[in-house]
Amino acid sequence: MATLVVGASGATGKQLVEQLLRMEQTVKLIVRPTAKIPESWKNNDSVSIIEASISQIPVDEMIAYLNDCQSVASCLGHNLNLKGIYGKPGKLVTDAVKLLCMAIQKSSPDKPIKLVLMSTTGYRNRGVGESISIGEKLVMGVIRLLVPPQLDNEKAADFLRMNIGQQNKSIDWVVVRPDTLINEDHVTEYELYGSPIRSALFNPGKTSRINVGNFMARLVAENNLWDKWKGQMPVIYNK
């Protein structure tokens, strides 16, 4: 069984794919036709590459891609330029999550498919009563207006929390929330919490992309770890 990865060509998505391969997992990648991916993936029998824009994939086609998958992982994000932040598709992450969930549910799997979504500590999990200060609320309100990808990330996580929920017969999910992303060459020790332990705006921590990739890959590969965090939104910080 394979893991379908969307957003695999991004900085964190590449780390996730490499970690999955290190764990001897089979992966399917959906990448844009113009995306740059490592040559080593193209010559790896454990990697299947699907060149397509996820925003243009119909549900029935996605069902076919999911046919032999036991898990799905999304590291989708918006490019940090004017077109990526303010252009179309404005709801890239949310629409992709909805598409994946619709395809999974229509395929009626024998057991729930694991869905791992990369989000951000800027998202507040209201399902467990997370609260922030008035100052943070004001700043976050401005960010949502000026930086549409923030709202997109929030709506994607909200869709899993409110629309898919905890008792779905076809989908189990985990939303992974890193803090300020940095680049490192090796996996290092990291800490996991059910909710943020510091302010994402006024006292942010750091999380390396390779650590995010490692944790997401472990969720796919390690059932005990999955059972611990299923239906939750763990926050990951570098130790």
Side-chain angles (χ1 to χ4, degrees):
M1 300 294 283
T3 296
L4 180 71
V5 179
V6 297
S9 63
T12 308
K14 288 178 180 177
Q15 298 288 359
L16 168 60
V17 174
E18 291 293 342
Q19 292 297 311
L20 286 168
L21 293 175
R22 285 176 179 269
M23 296 176 192
E24 300 183 343
Q25 300 290 307
T26 301
V27 293
K28 283 185 174 182
L29 317 178
I30 296 179
V31 296
R32 298 183 312 276
T34 57
K36 295 181 180 180
I37 59 175
E39 287 295 322
S40 60
W41 294 1
K42 299 177 183 178
N43 303 312
N44 191 323
D45 291 338
S46 295
V47 179
S48 299
I49 300 172
I50 302 160
E51 293 188 349
S53 296
I54 193 167
S55 60
Q56 298 175 2
I57 297 175
V59 174
D60 290 343
E61 186 175 329
M62 183 60 77
I63 290 173
Y65 295 148
L66 289 165
N67 181 50
D68 57 350
C69 294
Q70 64 181 359
S71 52
V72 179
S74 171
C75 288
L76 280 171
H78 297 255
N79 292 324
L80 297 180
N81 53 40
L82 287 176
K83 182 179 179 180
I85 294 174
Y86 299 106
K88 295 180 179 181
K91 298 179 181 178
L92 171 68
V93 182
T94 304
D95 288 346
V97 168
K98 289 180 177 179
L99 170 64
L100 290 165
C101 289
M102 188 182 302
I104 291 170
Q105 292 182 104
K106 285 189 70 174
S107 68
S108 300
D110 294 333
K111 61 180 182 179
I113 300 294
K114 295 179 179 179
L115 194 159
V116 188
L117 172 66
M118 185 183 76
S119 186
T120 169
T121 52
Y123 171 78
R124 178 161 50 108
N125 183 3
R126 293 172 177 82
V128 295
E130 290 179 1
S131 61
I132 55 177
S133 68
I134 293 176
E136 287 176 298
K137 289 180 181 178
L138 292 173
V139 174
M140 285 304 301
V142 173
I143 291 174
R144 290 187 190 102
L145 288 174
L146 298 181
V147 189
Q150 172 63 32
L151 187 58
D152 183 26
N153 281 322
E154 293 184 10
K155 286 185 177 296
D158 276 340
F159 179 81
L160 292 178
R161 179 175 66 86
M162 295 187 294
N163 295 78
I164 301 302
Q166 304 282 347
Q167 305 298 326
N168 194 283
K169 294 180 180 179
S170 301
I171 302 168
D172 288 334
W173 55 265
V174 173
V175 175
V176 176
R177 293 185 286 172
D179 213 332
T180 304
L181 288 167
I182 60 173
N183 292 319
E184 289 187 347
D185 294 329
H186 304 286
V187 175
T188 60
E189 290 188 75
Y190 51 83
E191 299 175 323
L192 303 169
Y193 298 91
S195 294
I197 61 170
R198 55 202 304 163
S199 167
L201 290 175
F202 303 136
N203 182 33
K206 294 181 180 180
T207 314
S208 66
R209 290 181 171 87
I210 194 170
N211 282 350
V212 177
N214 178 263
F215 178 47
M216 292 178 73
R218 288 178 59 210
L219 285 167
V220 168
E222 300 176 17
N223 288 331
N224 288 340
L225 186 67
W226 180 264
D227 291 339
K228 178 178 180 179
W229 292 109
K230 180 174 66 177
Q232 300 183 61
M233 302 186 180
V235 179
I236 175 172
Y237 301 104
N238 283 5
K239 190 169 183 179

